[in-house]
Amino acid sequence: MNKIILKRNKEESILRFHPWVFSGAIHHIEGSPTEGDVVDVHTADNTFIARGHYQIGSIAVRILSFAPDEIDAAFFHAKLTEAINFRKALGLAERSDNNTYRLVHGEGDNLPGLVIDIYGRTAVMQAHSVGMHRCRQLIANALVDVMHGVIDNVYYKSETTLPFKANLQQADGFIVGGSTDNLAVEYGLRFHVDWLKGQKTGFFVDQRENRRLLEQYSQGRSVLNMFCYTGGFSIYAMRGGARLVHSVDSSAKAIELTNQNVELNFPGDTRHEAFADDAFKYLDRMGHQYDLIILDPPAFAKHRDAIHNAMRGYIKINAKAFEKIRPGGLLFTFSCSQAIDKYNFRNAVFTAAAQSKRNVRILHQLTQPADHPINIYHPEGEYLKGLVLYVG
Ligand code: SAH
């Protein structure tokens, strides 16, 4: 086994179960691991402390085990069994009104570099590391075995998530089975999921509980769902009794998907209209007709060096919403940028509120749902932040 020997005192975070070894913590490497190999991590005194997938880059090892476990079919079988039992305990799996949930959430499920979302009989699997990429068939087979009778298709969707420099030239496609039945059912609502071209694994599973909360506040309201993508929030608002719902996204494909999903759930319902437009332009031009606004933009800051511009973006869109929302209106505002923490996000929203001089109260502080758990030893895993605000 190739060995990563750490610099002196660089083992502390690993002994506290943090699942990454940064390249700067490495003293030297014994052997010549290639990307994606399983390696052992040793302290400067040559004591074994962890085993994980090796990668070239700032995160050099993603830890799979703090014991010398074999990383084989039985290992993945055990991890996936734990993951499904956890979702069953949450009451998310095996429901007749819901077949959509996240089964594996990377570090949150002690499987760094791996994401698996379940949509009915299909699992969409995404690797973020070369190691997980190399294990893909092993994992897919273990998954079909663990979820026997529930899952018979595994779509592998890693074209955009694998490190570009590894030059793996991976094409997306089914690695188990094959299915064109791509309907996600979420709390009784139905959505077309576009595995082929869609963002993430095709659907934003992480907003499920926040969409359900929005439903409870929608009765009689005029709703603007900005950055609507598949129309998730719009459709919950319609079920919640909204008076009208406008969905906006700059992507024409997203608008088409939203219209399809509205038609699927509320055929012929004239309360809904969708517009392909840029958020900043739409917010500038719109009037004061809305009393419930959702802002769920894409990650404005994908990297630490983009934080400043991202903060400006959050301030700008939220300021527009505060300026235009009707008195007594509700604003559901989100950030999914990992580089912006909840304090920074709240600061951006605070700045925007102050600019508008409106009377603003925080009703709810939202985060990612329980099937996207945060490993307590890996606080970086907390990425989704949301505030529900009452604007007087
Ligand atoms: N709220 C959605 C997820 C939003 S993802 C859900 O619950 O599923 C972010 C969306 O923002 C994408 O669909 C993307 O096309 C859109 N987008 C990105 N930049 C935009 C812009 N400047 N104006 C409007 N939409 C934009």
Side-chain angles (χ1 to χ4, degrees):
M1 181 77 67
N2 291 301
K3 267 193 209 173
I4 305 286
I5 313 290
L6 299 181
K7 292 179 184 161
R8 197 152 291 281
N9 299 327
K10 287 292 182 189
E11 70 280 10
E12 273 170 28
S13 68
I14 315 292
L15 293 176
R16 277 186 271 111
F17 308 114
H18 192 280
W20 295 343
V21 174
F22 289 101
S23 54
I26 298 176
H27 185 272
H28 69 279
I29 298 177
E30 286 179 14
S32 48
T34 57
E35 271 202 293
D37 277 353
V38 173
V39 292
D40 279 350
V41 182
H42 284 234
T43 63
D45 301 333
N46 207 10
T47 307
F48 171 94
I49 48 170
R51 179 168 281 184
H53 279 144
Y54 175 69
Q55 190 147 317
I56 295 164
S58 130
I59 304 171
V61 184
R62 287 173 171 79
I63 290 167
L64 300 164
S65 178
F66 295 93
D69 294 325
E70 284 303 318
I71 310 302
D72 54 10
F75 173 83
F76 287 113
H77 202 280
K79 289 279 183 198
L80 294 172
T81 303
E82 200 183 313
I84 184 66
N85 287 340
F86 177 66
R87 273 66 184 179
K88 281 183 191 164
L90 296 176
L92 275 172
E94 299 180 342
R95 291 170 66 121
S96 58
D97 67 341
N98 194 80
N99 69 11
T100 304
Y101 56 90
R102 177 152 293 190
L103 176 70
V104 173
H105 185 59
E107 287 79 1
D109 283 284
N110 302 311
L111 288 169
L114 183 69
V115 162
I116 302 176
D117 284 340
I118 304 295
Y119 301 104
R121 299 190 72 83
T122 300
V124 180
M125 184 170 134
Q126 203 158 61
H128 293 252
S129 69
V130 181
M132 286 301 185
H133 170 69
R134 281 176 41 191
C135 294
R136 64 195 178 281
Q137 200 63 54
L138 203 59
I139 298 168
N141 296 345
L143 179 61
V144 175
D145 197 36
V146 167
M147 297 188 72
H148 183 69
V150 180
I151 293 292
D152 19 52
N153 312 290
V154 180
Y155 189 84
Y156 186 59
K157 190 175 195 305
S158 299
E159 239 175 65
T160 58
T161 56
L162 285 167
F164 175 70
K165 283 193 201 127
N167 199 20
L168 298 166
Q169 306 194 327
Q170 174 62 38
D172 293 342
F174 282 98
I175 54 173
V176 175
S179 168
T180 50
D181 173 16
N182 61 348
L183 268 197
V185 182
E186 190 186 86
Y187 291 149
L189 294 169
R190 291 177 301 153
F191 296 91
H192 287 290
V193 175
D194 187 356
W195 300 314
L196 262 49
K197 298 198 194 70
Q199 305 174 44
K200 291 212 187 185
T201 64
F203 190 62
F204 283 68
V205 185
D206 57 0
Q207 287 286 24
R208 181 187 56 246
E209 303 304 323
N210 301 332
R211 290 192 271 257
R212 190 149 81 152
L213 180 70
L214 174 103
E215 178 177 1
Q216 294 168 22
Y217 282 110
S218 300
Q219 183 65 46
R221 292 197 181 258
S222 297
V223 179
L224 170 63
N225 180 12
M226 181 53 77
F227 308 99
C228 65
Y229 189 34
T230 56
F233 283 104
S234 305
I235 289 156
Y236 276 78
M238 292 178 78
R239 187 165 71 178
R243 198 160 61 77
L244 75 84
V245 180
H246 288 168
S247 305
V248 179
D249 199 290
S250 56
S251 145
K253 182 92 188 92
I255 293 304
E256 199 183 304
L257 210 51
T258 294
N259 280 329
Q260 263 182 30
N261 285 333
V262 169
E263 198 51 33
L264 190 64
N265 291 281
F266 302 100
D269 197 320
T270 54
R271 290 177 297 159
H272 180 261
E273 252 186 288
F275 307 97
D277 203 351
D278 172 71
F280 294 93
K281 287 189 185 143
Y282 189 93
L283 291 166
D284 259 340
R285 284 194 300 250
M286 73 184 198
H288 296 261
Q289 69 265 48
Y290 302 113
D291 56 6
L292 204 176
I293 298 179
I294 302 120
L295 298 176
D296 184 23
F300 282 160
K302 291 225 160 88
H303 304 286
R304 298 217 138 258
D305 45 10
I307 290 180
H308 183 68
N309 281 344
M311 288 293 280
R312 281 188 20 205
Y314 288 118
I315 293 170
K316 204 166 153 191
I317 51 167
N318 282 285
K320 284 283 165 214
F322 284 127
E323 183 191 321
K324 303 268 177 96
I325 197 165
R326 270 204 221 143
L330 293 170
L331 175 60
F332 279 64
T333 184
F334 296 95
S335 161
C336 60
S337 306
Q338 207 142 16
I340 304 267
D341 66 19
K342 58 185 165 196
Y343 306 104
N344 279 334
F345 177 60
R346 194 193 281 202
N347 237 322
V349 176
F350 162 84
T351 305
Q355 280 177 14
S356 74
K357 300 192 171 61
R358 303 281 295 263
N359 179 4
V360 179
R361 277 171 274 186
I362 299 175
L363 308 188
H364 300 274
Q365 301 174 56
L366 307 177
T367 180
Q368 62 221 53
D371 54 338
H372 295 57
I374 303 158
N375 178 342
I376 201 161
Y377 305 114
H378 179 255
E380 299 92 325
E382 183 174 0
Y383 71 99
L384 185 62
K385 290 119 350 228
L387 291 170
V388 181
L389 304 157
Y390 181 85
V391 188

